[in-house]
Amino acid sequence: MANPYTLLGVSKNASQDEIKQAYRKLARKMHPDLNPNDPKAEEKFKEISAAYDILSDPEKRKRFDNGEIDENGKERPGFGFGGYDNAYQKRNGGFEGFNFDFNSAGSDGKKRSGFDFFSDMFGGGSSGNEDIFSNFKRYTRKTTGENLTYDLPVSFLEAALGKDKEIEMPNGKILNMKIPPGTADKTVLRLKGQGAPGVGGGANGDALIRVLIQPHPYFTRSGNDILMDVPITLKEAVLGAKITIPTLEGKVSVKVPANSTTGSVLRLRGKGIKTKEKTGDLLVTVLVALPEKPDKALERFMQEWTPDDFNPREKAGLI
């Protein structure tokens, strides 16, 4: 196996947090669950997990840096139980107090060495020349998988009325999710356990779906109310009229009172956003619009019309 620092792509002076981040990034990329039927990815995942097992443990990392263990976590000659390194014996109290019978008989009546004793302890075979740690099972540290984030564009009506959506996450996973009615812009929906796989038996991360609502041609939202501007003719404004307008749930007929002016607001109760907590209204602001082409009859009428002393700019405080 390569040097653990090289495998994780970090420097020898990297902090524990930098090592952790580097491992998580590689683990998300090489995890067997995300690379089915790819033995190379699986082998790479095992290598980076073994590297992380060494570098994430301060004591193991120190011993590796000092040359006491190799990149596989095995004792180097002169440091482990198979050698007589004085510094190692001093740190660990030497071998005094351990009464190993290197010539004791096993249950099969055959003589067994002390190294066979260690092999038995760690699940090894019976060969005296076999490295005592060759069959030691390595476990990766239990780590919760990363949360995966995803921006989901939805239409105004989908967010207002609710919608079942199928989305493809950055890792290629297809998720089915429900957008609740009345979902607001930039709401984050959490799908438990649908993020990156955990490592070493750790729980999966979550999928965090941020809902981005696209603008509507004429609806806007204010709390649970829907706002909309509706143009009306001068005749409809003066005399009043019934007009047809759109709502979230289809078209409806609404009455414009006589003598309405630009800025007048018509309230349609219960026609706004509906959530568990509240149902809003549809607020329609009327805008008086003149014909696009000049109307000669209207022009003649205006020329002959003598209005009263009403001055809208004076009422607005502009003069």
Side-chain angles (χ1 to χ4, degrees), residues 189-258:
L189 304 177
R190 181 182 295 267
L191 300 180
K192 194 74 173 175
Q194 296 297 330
V199 177
N204 290 352
D206 299 336
L208 305 179
I209 314 299
R210 186 173 66 157
V211 178
L212 301 179
I213 300 177
Q214 299 171 323
H216 193 273
Y218 38 84
F219 292 139
T220 58
R221 180 173 179 173
S222 176
N224 275 33
D225 292 334
I226 297 294
L227 311 181
M228 179 176 61
D229 292 339
V230 174
I232 60 175
T233 67
L234 180 60
K235 183 177 181 179
E236 290 170 335
V238 174
L239 302 179
K242 278 191 175 183
I243 61 174
T244 300
I245 63 170
T247 70
L248 294 177
E249 299 171 340
K251 295 181 179 181
V252 299
S253 180
V254 61
K255 183 178 180 179
V256 178

Side-chain angles (χ1 to χ4, degrees), residues 92-110:
N92 294 276
F95 295 107
E96 294 85 349
F98 291 87
N99 185 22
F100 298 130
D101 182 359
F102 291 94
N103 293 304
S104 60
S107 59
D108 55 3
K110 297 180 180 179

